[in-house]
């Protein structure tokens, strides 16, 4: 079985051929590509310019046994201080197309949910309003069935176009993958999970099935959700969004507040004083700071209330 031991010149050339030489960069810090503003360098960063290029890059990496991390908006992520080994695919800048046709909106994986909702409003389509403030891109939102205000992506998703990894070969590498369209009923979507996550699929684009609506009412609803977020969430500070999943029968933020941890700090990481369900970067926080604060929160809540808090933030890379 092949083990990853760095990016060879041959693989770099292949990545350049798959995505274009200008789309490949070495040792780029991930802090500039995450909403937490934290993260060391990736071995190589690739920014494909279209969906076919994404598939080609994934094929190159699979056949060379190079691990791949796909990043859209970079929300809900904590990247280790030592960075990410292998290749990082950045989708936000180049794969952000959005098109409304009839009552459907098709968006590429790097499109922000905010922009999808604004496009739906422009087309007088309703259904995206509760989701528009989620600070993520379409690919990640489908991957984890993102949600807010008792709504989730599965409520409006019709189908996704995904890259499916190829078969595992005798040496441990993979053959070429394939591109398929899967309906929402095939995605086994649950609370912050989906088949996309479970099977390591990569979203290329998604189609949302919405309903005709009144533009003024859609705008008013979006404005209401925006105000509610601004009032309750620390949007003015760098974070990865909600730090913990909602424990059954409880609210993570209230448990953390009741444990006396409002404003608790480790280095540059702090429990938000505005909403205790968020860990924020007050400036210069490291992944080690955030990890230590998350562990402290979990320990305190477990000891005080017997509740196990599970991080919603995905930790990737080397810490």
């Amino acid at each position: 079985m092949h083990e990853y031991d760095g990016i060879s010149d041959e693989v770099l050339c292949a990545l350049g051929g798959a995505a274009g030489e200008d789309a490949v960069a070495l040792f780029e810090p991930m802090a500039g590509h995450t909403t937490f503003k934290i993260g060391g360098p990736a071995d190589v960063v690739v920014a494909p310019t279209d969906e076919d290029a994404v598939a080609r890059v994934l094929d190159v990496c699979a056949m060379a046994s190079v691990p791949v991390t796909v990043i859209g908006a970079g929300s809900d992520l904590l990247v280790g201080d030592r960075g990410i080994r292998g290749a990082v695919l950045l989708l936000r800048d180049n794969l952000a197309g959005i098109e409304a046709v009839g009552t459907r909106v098709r968006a590429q994986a790097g499109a922000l949910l905010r922009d999808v909702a604004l496009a739906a409003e422009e087309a007088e389509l309703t259904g995206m309003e509760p989701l528009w403030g989620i600070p993520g891109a379409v690919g990640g939102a489908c991957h984890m069935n993102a949600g807010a205000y008792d709504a989730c992506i599965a409520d409006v998703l019709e189908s996704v176009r995904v890259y499916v990894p190829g078969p595992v070969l005798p040496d441990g590498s993979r053959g070429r993958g394939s591109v398929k369209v899967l309906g929402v009923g095939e995605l086994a979507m649950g609370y912050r999970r989906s088949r996309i996550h479970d099977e390591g699929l990569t979203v290329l684009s998604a189609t949302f099935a919405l309903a005709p609506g009144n533009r003024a009412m859609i705008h008013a609803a979006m404005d209401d959700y925006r105000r509610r977020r601004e009032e309750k969430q620390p949007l003015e500070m760098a974070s990865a969004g909600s730090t913990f999943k909602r424990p059954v029968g409880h609210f993570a933020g209230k448990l953390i507040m009741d444990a006396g941890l409002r404003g608790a700090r480790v280095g540059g990481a702090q429990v938000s004083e505005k909403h205790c369900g968020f860990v924020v970067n007050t400036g210069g926080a490291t992944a080690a700071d955030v990890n230590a604060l998350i562990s402290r929160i979990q320990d305190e809540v477990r000891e005080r209330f017997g509740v196990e808090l599970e991080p919603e933030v995905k930790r990737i890379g080397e810490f």
Side-chain angles (χ1 to χ4, degrees), residues 102-118:
T103 58
R104 286 166 173 76
V105 175
R106 180 184 179 274
Q108 290 182 305
L112 298 179
L113 283 183
R114 176 182 184 276
D115 293 335
V116 176
L118 290 172

Side-chain angles (χ1 to χ4, degrees), residues 12 25 28 38 46 48 55-56 96 100 143 148 182 187 209 211 233 240 265 271:
L12 283 175
E28 185 165 340
I38 294 172
V46 187
R56 291 195 298 269
H143 182 272
L182 300 175
L187 298 178
Q233 299 180 9
R265 295 181 65 130
V271 174

